[in-house]
Amino acid sequence: MPTITLPSNVEAEKSVLGAMLIASDAADIALGSLEESDFSNAEPRNKMIFHAMKILHDNDRPIDAQTVIDELNALHYDKSVTPQYIFELVDSVITPENVDHYISMVRDQSVLRQLLLKFGDIQEEYNKGVQDISTFISRSNDLIAEICQKRAVSEMRAVKEIAASVADNISKSNEADTKGLIGLDTGFKKLNEMTHGWRKGDLIILAARPSVGKTTLGINLAFQTAARERVPVAFFSLEMTAEQVVEKLIACRAMVPGDHITTGYLSTTEKRKISAAVSEISRTQLYFDDTPNAKLGDIISKAHRLKKEHSDLGFIVVDYLGRIRYSDHPNIAQRQQEISEISGALKTLARELDVPVLCIAQLNRNVDQNENKVPSLSNLRDSGSIEQDADVCMLLYRSDYYTSLGQKAKDKGKNQNQNKPAEGEENEEGEAPEKKKDDKGVSETQVIVAKNRKGQTGIVHLVFQKAYSRFDDPTPEYEIRMAQIEASRNGFNDE
């Protein structure tokens, strides 16, 4: 890489140091905002003086022209930092009240220098040979993001300013529609009431055991947001092809059994419904990426590119967390740490793009040891950091799922020669196969909002029609019946 002149602003550095010599308040602000490395090598004396000031401050000694001169002598620095230069710094300051402005200028030049130096490191790594482009891009992006984050560090804000901002948000909340939405419409009435919609910058986790319906609900949520809010929505499908996902979506919107669509045995009415569903889906701005076992860096890069192409990008869905690769050489022993890095990166992505990100995850088998098999946050698979990073955690529960498991276990016991896993039972990969028989029945599904930083927690009841890959709000009559059943389960029935 050719030699370049690194940027600096020596005059701003001198103004900061001069203000620090005049006012103790300015010194406190500068020492809390800058580091020695933020001063350039264009004028080495400035870095030496700041270093001496920091030592004085750390030892609770006053900072003025004489104490700085004495400290520099004690440090045995070369004689280039003369008393004349120190007093020159003092004379260069009109008022120390502008120190914030000069600190910002010094920090900007420092970040720019570090960024240019990092570009050099990236080019040096490239010259050594790139084994995998995706990994190289991801690592380079991380290095650049780390530097840019320093530029984004904000100053402390007065409560008066923050209170005004909150009041403005409250005012906007009062202008929310009749659904009480602050964020994007989830498509489900009770879920809207509990979450107030998907909020920008939030990481939402949707977790369940295999075959409970988490992917189907994720598809439903993606479509509902795209259709109701008329915004672009990204769907990263790491297990299913885009065609399979859209096939489920067509079944959902057409209310035609999925196996009819797969086999092609369709009645005239079903064909008409499918045609209408395809037209409805095509009017939305849904974008799919179905790269299997995609790398974290690729997902982040594609999301950034889509945001650049569509500034109104509204929602991102990732299906699912366990399939995201963090590196080229996965290490099972380090998987928990990798999951921590992935969940943290998805949260950062949500904040950087200012969009809600919903990530589907899997619950571990320990959920089967819970009372009534109802999942809790401790059942999130691989890492507790998922719960920590998430703004909203939703856990799915279907009682009929476990009823089916029990019945199939009995059937399996009757036929010892059958080697295939029972219907609904996990195979070696921890996944449950689909039922062979078309199940047109209605299943009660509980969406347990176990964590919600900005709203309520509780249970949202949805109706799941597996044959149609569809979730719906229950009717009022159905809700009353479910409430009665729930009360009976909890021992509140009338005696």
Side-chain angles (χ1 to χ4, degrees):
M1 186 175 184
T3 302
I4 60 173
T5 301
L6 294 175
S8 63
N9 190 329
V10 174
E11 292 306 314
E13 293 176 9
K14 292 171 69 174
S15 296
V16 169
L17 296 175
M20 293 173 71
L21 289 167
I22 295 173
S24 59
D25 289 346
D28 290 337
I29 293 171
L31 288 164
S33 304
L34 297 173
E35 298 176 1
E36 188 178 335
S37 58
D38 289 323
F39 290 82
S40 68
N41 292 326
E43 176 49 270
R45 291 180 294 183
N46 293 341
K47 187 176 294 187
M48 297 177 192
I49 293 168
F50 186 81
H51 178 67
M53 290 177 168
K54 189 173 188 312
I55 292 176
L56 290 170
H57 181 268
D58 291 345
N59 288 280
D60 294 323
R61 293 161 59 194
I63 294 175
D64 57 41
Q66 190 57 57
T67 57
V68 170
I69 292 171
D70 292 342
E71 185 61 34
L72 287 169
N73 290 331
L75 291 171
H76 301 293
Y77 275 159
D78 61 62
K79 300 302 182 181
S80 60
V81 187
T82 62
Q84 182 180 355
Y85 185 72
I86 298 294
F87 290 117
E88 181 184 326
L89 295 177
V90 174
D91 293 338
S92 67
V93 177
I94 298 175
T95 171
E97 294 179 359
N98 295 330
V99 68
D100 286 327
H101 174 66
Y102 295 117
I103 287 173
S104 179
M105 294 173 68
V106 171
R107 190 164 53 202
D108 282 351
Q109 296 300 306
S110 173
V111 169
L112 189 54
R113 282 197 305 276
Q114 294 176 58
L115 190 60
L116 291 173
L117 291 172
K118 199 62 67 176
F119 285 154
D121 293 340
I122 292 171
Q123 181 168 341
E124 185 176 341
E125 182 177 349
Y126 170 79
N127 291 336
K128 293 178 181 177
V130 176
Q131 300 299 321
D132 182 89
I133 293 178
S134 295
T135 301
F136 174 73
I137 292 174
S138 177
R139 189 181 297 116
S140 300
N141 184 65
D142 289 343
L143 291 173
I144 294 172
E146 182 182 350
I147 299 299
C148 293
Q149 184 63 32
K150 294 182 179 180
R151 175 63 181 85
V153 172
S154 60
E155 302 293 344
M156 295 188 72
R157 299 158 60 199
V159 69
K160 180 179 179 180
E161 176 190 349
I162 299 171
S165 176
V166 172
D168 183 56
N169 290 335
I170 293 172
S171 177
K172 290 178 181 177
S173 299
N174 290 333
E175 299 171 2
D177 59 25
T178 55
K179 299 175 186 176
L181 292 177
I182 305 303
L184 299 174
D185 193 340
T186 70
F188 299 99
K189 180 181 177 182
K190 294 296 183 182
L191 194 57
N192 279 340
E193 291 176 2
M194 193 163 291
T195 64
H196 303 299
W198 307 135
R199 303 196 191 192
K200 293 180 179 181
D202 277 4
L203 173 63
I204 305 135
I205 297 294
L206 172 63
R209 294 296 290 136
S211 287
V212 171
K214 56 186 182 294
T215 293
T216 301
L217 182 54
I219 295 168
N220 278 229
L221 291 169
F223 173 80
Q224 294 281 16
T225 300
R228 291 169 180 260
E229 298 289 349
R230 298 182 180 180
V231 293
V233 173
F235 194 101
F236 291 90
S237 179
L238 282 69
E239 272 196 311
M240 301 170 62
T241 65
E243 287 75 15
Q244 289 172 323
V245 174
V246 174
E247 189 174 291
K248 278 180 171 286
L249 191 51
I250 291 172
C252 168
R253 303 312 301 170
M255 294 288 285
V256 172
D259 65 335
H260 291 198
I261 295 174
T262 301
T263 60
Y265 293 115
L266 301 166
S267 67
T268 301
T269 300
E270 287 175 334
K271 289 179 181 178
R272 187 165 57 250
K273 287 182 177 180
I274 288 173
S275 177
V278 169
S279 178
E280 178 190 25
I281 293 166
S282 299
R283 288 194 294 271
T284 65
Q285 297 183 74
L286 270 169
Y287 294 88
F288 291 92
D289 181 86
D290 58 1
T291 305
N293 300 323
K295 291 180 183 176
L296 174 63
D298 290 339
I299 293 173
I300 292 173
S301 296
K302 290 174 182 177
H304 275 275
R305 185 162 66 244
L306 189 61
K307 175 70 172 181
K308 186 175 182 180
E309 295 172 356
H310 302 276
S311 59
D312 58 340
L313 177 65
F315 193 35
I316 296 173
V317 178
V318 181
D319 182 28
Y320 74 98
L321 185 66
R323 289 288 187 184
I324 300 175
R325 282 197 298 155
Y326 185 73
S327 63
D328 289 321
H329 308 287
N331 188 327
I332 296 177
Q334 297 178 355
R335 185 56 180 169
Q336 183 171 338
Q337 178 60 34
E338 290 184 352
I339 291 294
S340 297
E341 297 289 344
I342 292 169
S343 65
L346 291 177
K347 173 59 182 175
T348 300
L349 177 67
R351 294 192 63 181
E352 287 178 346
L353 299 188
D354 198 28
V355 301
V357 174
L358 184 145
C359 184
I360 296 170
Q362 192 160 296
L363 296 172
N364 58 42
R365 299 186 184 190
N366 293 339
V367 69
D368 298 334
Q369 300 172 13
N370 294 357
E371 184 179 0
N372 298 328
K373 315 292 186 184
V374 177
S376 65
L377 290 173
S378 62
N379 299 126
L380 284 169
R381 189 169 181 173
D382 289 321
S383 174
S385 68
I386 300 174
E387 174 191 350
Q388 178 182 333
D389 293 324
D391 297 281
V392 178
C393 280
M394 302 185 298
L395 315 175
L396 296 191
Y397 171 72
R398 276 177 34 218
S399 59
D400 67 307
Y401 169 78
Y402 290 97
T403 302
S404 175
L405 280 180
Q407 180 60 49
K408 290 304 171 180
K410 291 179 182 179
D411 294 342
K412 183 178 180 181
K414 294 177 182 178
N415 185 2
Q416 297 295 332
N417 295 324
Q418 183 178 356
N419 293 323
K420 294 182 180 180
E423 181 181 331
E425 183 176 320
E426 294 180 4
N427 55 26
E428 292 180 357
E429 284 72 36
E431 300 171 349
E434 298 290 331
K435 296 178 182 178
K436 292 183 179 179
K437 183 175 70 175
D438 185 19
D439 180 8
K440 294 184 176 64
V442 174
S443 299
E444 171 202 342
T445 299
Q446 294 182 10
V447 180
I448 304 168
V449 182
K451 177 183 179 180
N452 187 4
R453 279 198 177 123
K454 303 169 186 173
Q456 306 172 47
T457 58
I459 296 175
V460 174
H461 293 280
L462 296 180
V463 175
F464 179 38
Q465 300 179 74
K466 187 171 184 179
Y468 304 138
S469 299
R470 183 182 179 100
F471 282 87
D472 286 296
D473 284 317
T475 63
E477 296 76 17
Y478 195 76
E479 283 187 301
I480 293 173
R481 185 159 63 87
M482 286 192 295
Q484 292 171 341
I485 293 173
E486 188 67 24
S488 177
R489 286 175 184 162
N490 293 327
F492 295 115
N493 52 317
D494 294 333
E495 295 183 359

